[in-house]
Amino acid sequence: MSEFKLLVTGCNGRMGQAVISAAEAQGVAVGAGIDVGGSLPEALAKCDCTIDFSSHHFTDELLAESLRQNKSLVIGTTGHTSEELARIKDASKTIPVVFASNFSVGVNTLFWLTRKAAELLGPDFDLEVVEMHHRMKKDAPSGTARTLVEILADVRGLEYDTDCRHGRFGDVGARTPKEIGVHALRGGDVVGDHTVVFANIGERVELTHKASSRDTFAGGAVRAARWLEGKPAGLYDMQDVLGLK
Ligand code: NAD
């Protein structure tokens, strides 16, 4: 049997470089890496699975080529439009895809704790999500913050689009119980901080995760790629990979 090989897309970027190091550390071969201007069909032909940390503008091309070559896919890129998200879902009916807004064990534990805390604390607590990332990050709020809000909205039976307020500026009036606030801070070299605030009259609970290295995301993505080997078509996330479901 030939050796399992990874294609790393966005290979010159911060995460791409971290994935190449993580693959080496886990003894997984990188068959090819491409960045802007590279030939995807040629690179993918040499590999079994792609790990993508590039741009959501690249996702359609990556899905089409992965479908054409019947190759599995790990998508770490964030900032997708709802149409692009629908196309990821569609492709996963034919090929196995792991799509995760965050690949760290700590953040996936935060996802679990957030659901539990929202269920236990009940509807009297106001919900706010605050994230901070480095000055170069393009999308806001982060994919991880969006996942946290989706979890909170699911527990409360709210709609992500209509019940989430991104920041508060000007005369926006008092906070309503049917509202989840999302706040994105940008600056310096912060790898990724996320806090979920549950605030009631007289008390407050805060759950915080702080990433200090990209290696935690990169290592998780390589683990996800290995986990996908032999899996049937489907849309998986990091909770599946970690066995948390
Ligand atoms: P980055 O800007 O450092 O790197 C992105 C790389 O992708 C660049 O080298 C860029 O040239 C390349 N690229 C852009 N368009 C491309 C295309 N069409 N074809 C090939 N390459 C292309 O960014 P980053 O910090 O490495 O983050 C990349 C993505 O990963 C972002 O969407 C970010 O939000 C996301 N991210 C996800 C996680 C996670 O755990 N899921 C963690 C960190 C970052």
Side-chain angles (χ1 to χ4, degrees):
M1 213 172 95
S2 62
E3 188 187 20
F4 177 79
K5 288 199 187 77
L6 284 177
L7 167 64
V8 179
T9 50
C11 66
N12 296 339
R14 283 171 287 258
M15 279 306 302
Q17 289 293 303
V19 167
I20 291 168
S21 303
E24 194 178 329
Q26 292 187 34
V28 178
V30 176
I34 63 160
D35 209 279
V36 172
S39 165
L40 178 60
E42 209 176 298
L44 186 57
K46 296 183 218 156
C47 302
D48 303 284
C49 175
T50 302
I51 296 185
D52 174 59
F53 287 94
S54 57
S55 157
H56 68 101
H57 297 299
F58 180 56
T59 300
D60 281 343
E61 184 184 342
L62 182 57
L63 289 173
E65 195 54 38
S66 302
L67 284 166
R68 207 167 4 251
Q69 296 197 27
N70 193 28
K71 301 278 170 80
S72 60
L73 187 51
V74 175
I75 303 177
T77 299
T78 62
H80 294 96
T81 63
S82 49
E83 292 79 14
E84 287 165 343
L85 292 173
R87 287 194 284 272
I88 292 173
K89 216 170 170 180
D90 257 12
S92 74
K93 290 174 188 154
T94 311
I95 54 171
V97 178
V98 174
F99 179 39
S101 61
N102 201 299
F103 286 90
S104 90
V105 173
V107 160
N108 281 277
T109 305
L110 176 68
F111 290 157
W112 188 90
L113 290 169
T114 296
R115 179 174 290 281
K116 276 285 157 219
E119 285 167 359
L120 290 170
L121 294 170
D124 292 343
F125 281 75
D126 298 324
L127 305 173
E128 298 279 322
V129 174
V130 186
E131 58 101 330
M132 180 159 187
H133 283 83
H134 54 90
R135 61 168 69 138
M136 305 298 285
K137 184 164 177 63
K138 296 193 177 87
D139 56 319
S142 67
T144 303
R146 284 171 188 267
T147 303
L148 288 166
V149 171
E150 280 164 18
I151 291 168
L152 295 170
D154 185 47
V155 173
R156 286 281 172 95
L158 303 173
E159 289 293 325
Y160 178 90
D161 284 342
T162 47
D163 299 321
C164 300
R165 225 186 252 258
H166 292 222
R168 300 180 134 259
F169 307 96
D171 186 6
V172 292
R175 198 185 191 295
T176 72
K178 236 177 99 51
E179 181 184 327
I180 301 172
V182 197
H183 310 272
L185 317 184
R186 294 287 173 267
D189 60 356
V190 178
V191 174
D193 295 355
H194 293 88
T195 296
V196 185
V197 181
F198 301 83
N200 200 352
I201 308 295
E203 62 174 335
R204 186 163 88 240
V205 177
E206 296 186 0
L207 299 176
T208 294
H209 177 273
K210 295 187 181 193
S212 49
S213 161
R214 288 182 178 83
D215 296 349
T216 178
F217 311 132
V222 173
R223 183 170 166 176
R226 295 168 81 193
W227 179 87
L228 266 185
E229 262 193 281
K231 288 279 179 306
L235 187 59
Y236 305 100
D237 63 19
M238 205 50 196
Q239 313 260 324
D240 294 304
V241 176
L242 295 172
L244 293 176
K245 281 186 174 164

